[in-house]
Amino acid sequence: MEQATQASQVKPKETTTEEKIKQYFDVQGMQPPAGKERLTASDVDADSKGAESLARIGAWSEILKLTRGAGWRNVERCGNDEKVRRTHIHVMAMVKLGERRQTWEVLQQLDGCDIPFSLRLLKADLVADAPEPHGGDLKSQQQLYKLFHSLPEGEPGLTGSRRRAVVLKIVSSHNKLNQTGCALKAMADICEEYPTDIAIHHHYCCLLMQTGHIDAARGVYETICQLPPTSQKQATINTLKGLLAICNGKYDIAESCYTSNDCIDMNNKAVCAVYSEQLPDGVKIIESAIRANPESLTEATFQNLIQLYDMESKDASERKELLRAVATAYKGPDFVRLATPTAGDGK
C-alpha cells in the first residue's frame, strides 16, 4: 500500500522545449524548420557593431547586458560617431523593453552633441515619460511639432521621409490625448504635401477606418489606386480593400484579398473567419502560417492566436505553452515577453 502511494506521488516527466516544438509541428508529418542561431552578449564584441548584430535578431535583453557590462564602459574614449551609435543602440533596446523614462535620462546626456535625426525624434517622443517639470504628453507634442517645423516643407528624399516620420509620432500623440480631429488634420495635411506617397496615404486610410470615417477611408483608398505603381502598391491595395470589406461586414470579399502565406495576411484572413463564426478555421489559418514560416510571426499575430485559443477553450493552456515554445525558439525570449498579453491570458 505504501509503495503504491509513493508511486502515485511521482511527478510526471516535464516536456522539454524541443519536444514542445516538435509537437506543435507534428501535423501530417511536418518537421520543425531550422531556426537562426541565437546570439548572446558573450558572443559579440562590446561595440556598436556587436550590439547591432544582436538587434537584428531582436535580442534586446542581451544588448542591455552588453551595454551595461564592463567592456562597454570605455565609451568616453570613443570618437563622437561611435559614442552616438552606442547610445542609439543602447536606448533603442531600453525603449523596446519598456524602460522609456530611463531612456530619456540617457538621452539628456547627449545635450550639446551633434546627434542624428532618429535620436532627436526619439528624444522628443520620450519627453512624454520624463518627470515634471520637464515632461508630459503635451510637452512631448510641442517638441514633436518643433522638430517637424524645423524641417523644410515639401522637400523630397530624406527630408520628406523625416517629416512623414515626425507626423506619425504627432498623430500618435494626438490619439493618446483623445484629439482625434487634430490627428486626422495632421494626416490630411501631410498627404496633401506628399500626394504620391503610398505609405503615408495607407496610414491615413487606416486612421480614418479606426475612427469610423469609412466613406472618407474609401476615398483615400481610391486615391491610392490611382497613384503611380510601386513595389508595394498592390500589397497596400489588397490590405486596404480587405480592411474596408471587414468594416462593411463583407468577410468573404475581405478573405479573398489576403493571398500571401505570411503571418500578417493569414492573421487578417483568420479575423474574417472568426467574424464569420468559423473560429476553428481561424485558428487553423494562423497555425498553418506559423508552421510554414515561424520567423515571420508578428506580435499581433501571436497575441491574436493566444486570444483565439482562450475563445476556443479546448486545451487552451497546453496549446499556448506550445506556441510560446515555438515563438521563443524562432523569435527569441524577448519577443514572447513583449508580445504576451497582460490580461486575458488565463493560463
Side-chain angles (χ1 to χ4, degrees):
M1 184 70 175
E2 184 179 345
Q3 213 171 15
T5 303
Q6 288 178 348
S8 66
Q9 292 176 346
V10 174
K11 292 183 178 180
K13 183 182 176 182
E14 287 193 9
T15 308
T16 67
T17 299
E18 284 187 5
E19 288 171 335
K20 290 176 183 177
I21 295 170
K22 187 175 180 181
Q23 185 178 342
Y24 193 86
F25 284 90
D26 190 17
V27 177
Q28 296 180 344
M30 286 185 68
Q31 292 295 319
K36 294 178 182 175
E37 183 181 0
R38 307 304 307 179
L39 296 174
T40 67
S42 60
D43 296 323
V44 300
D45 293 330
D47 56 22
S48 60
K49 288 184 178 179
E52 286 164 2
S53 65
L54 293 172
R56 282 192 288 271
I57 60 170
W60 307 111
S61 295
E62 293 300 321
I63 289 174
L64 292 188
K65 288 181 186 177
L66 184 73
T67 60
R68 289 168 176 168
W72 189 269
R73 293 175 189 158
N74 61 357
V75 66
E76 296 302 328
R77 302 176 189 173
C78 301
N80 186 64
D81 287 348
E82 174 66 5
K83 181 178 180 181
V84 168
R85 279 198 297 271
R86 289 189 179 200
T87 303
H88 195 175
I89 197 76
H90 177 60
V91 300
M92 188 165 67
M94 292 174 73
V95 169
K96 288 286 187 181
L97 294 172
E99 299 182 11
R100 290 177 60 89
R101 178 165 174 174
Q102 299 94 312
T103 306
W104 180 83
E105 292 169 353
V106 170
L107 287 175
Q108 288 297 93
Q109 300 170 15
L110 289 178
D111 279 351
C113 294
D114 182 19
I115 64 174
F117 167 81
S118 57
L119 283 184
R120 284 186 283 146
L121 176 57
L122 180 59
K123 187 176 179 182
D125 184 39
L126 290 172
V127 168
D129 301 278
E132 294 290 351
H134 308 286
D137 292 324
L138 282 174
K139 284 188 172 65
S140 172
Q141 192 177 101
Q142 291 165 0
Q143 290 296 314
L144 289 167
Y145 269 109
K146 183 178 178 181
L147 179 58
F148 178 72
H149 291 306
S150 72
L151 298 165
E153 185 177 343
E155 289 287 325
L158 183 60
T159 299
S161 66
R162 287 176 173 178
R163 281 177 68 83
R164 296 190 288 275
V166 180
V167 163
L168 294 180
K169 290 290 186 182
I170 288 172
V171 167
S172 178
S173 173
H174 281 309
N175 284 335
K176 189 176 180 183
L177 293 168
N178 296 316
Q179 299 168 337
T180 303
C182 295
L184 290 169
K185 185 180 186 308
M187 286 301 300
D189 288 347
I190 200 69
C191 284
E192 185 177 348
E193 186 177 337
Y194 297 97
T196 62
D197 188 292
I198 289 177
I200 203 71
H201 280 75
H202 183 179
H203 283 290
Y204 186 29
C205 189
C206 289
L207 181 62
L208 287 165
M209 282 187 273
Q210 289 163 9
T211 52
H213 297 81
I214 308 304
D215 289 341
R218 181 167 295 282
V220 175
Y221 164 78
E222 290 171 354
T223 297
I224 293 172
C225 291
Q226 300 302 316
L227 293 178
T230 69
S231 60
Q232 293 300 312
K233 180 179 175 179
Q234 193 56 53
T236 299
I237 288 173
N238 289 345
T239 298
L240 294 178
K241 183 179 179 181
L243 292 175
L244 284 166
I246 289 174
C247 289
N248 289 302
K250 298 177 180 178
Y251 306 122
D252 55 337
I253 295 175
E255 191 171 342
S256 68
C257 295
Y258 304 118
T259 55
S260 79
N261 291 322
D262 67 21
C263 277
I264 296 175
D265 264 20
M266 291 299 98
N267 183 65
N268 289 333
K269 200 169 184 176
V271 169
C272 297
V274 173
Y275 284 155
S276 300
E277 300 182 358
Q278 298 172 345
L279 176 59
D281 287 346
V283 171
K284 289 177 183 177
I285 287 169
I286 298 180
E287 286 182 336
S288 66
I290 295 172
R291 291 186 181 109
N293 184 6
E295 290 181 354
S296 73
L297 180 61
T298 65
E299 289 186 17
T301 304
F302 178 92
Q303 291 164 355
N304 284 347
L305 188 52
I306 288 283
Q307 291 174 356
L308 294 184
Y309 284 153
D310 282 329
M311 291 167 64
E312 207 172 25
S313 298
K314 182 183 177 182
D315 304 322
S317 294
E318 180 183 352
R319 296 167 85 183
K320 287 188 288 186
E321 196 62 35
L322 297 180
L323 176 62
R324 290 190 185 101
V326 171
T328 300
Y330 291 96
K331 300 292 290 187
D334 286 333
F335 174 91
V336 175
R337 185 165 71 84
L338 297 172
T340 297
T342 56
D345 195 3
K347 182 179 173 182

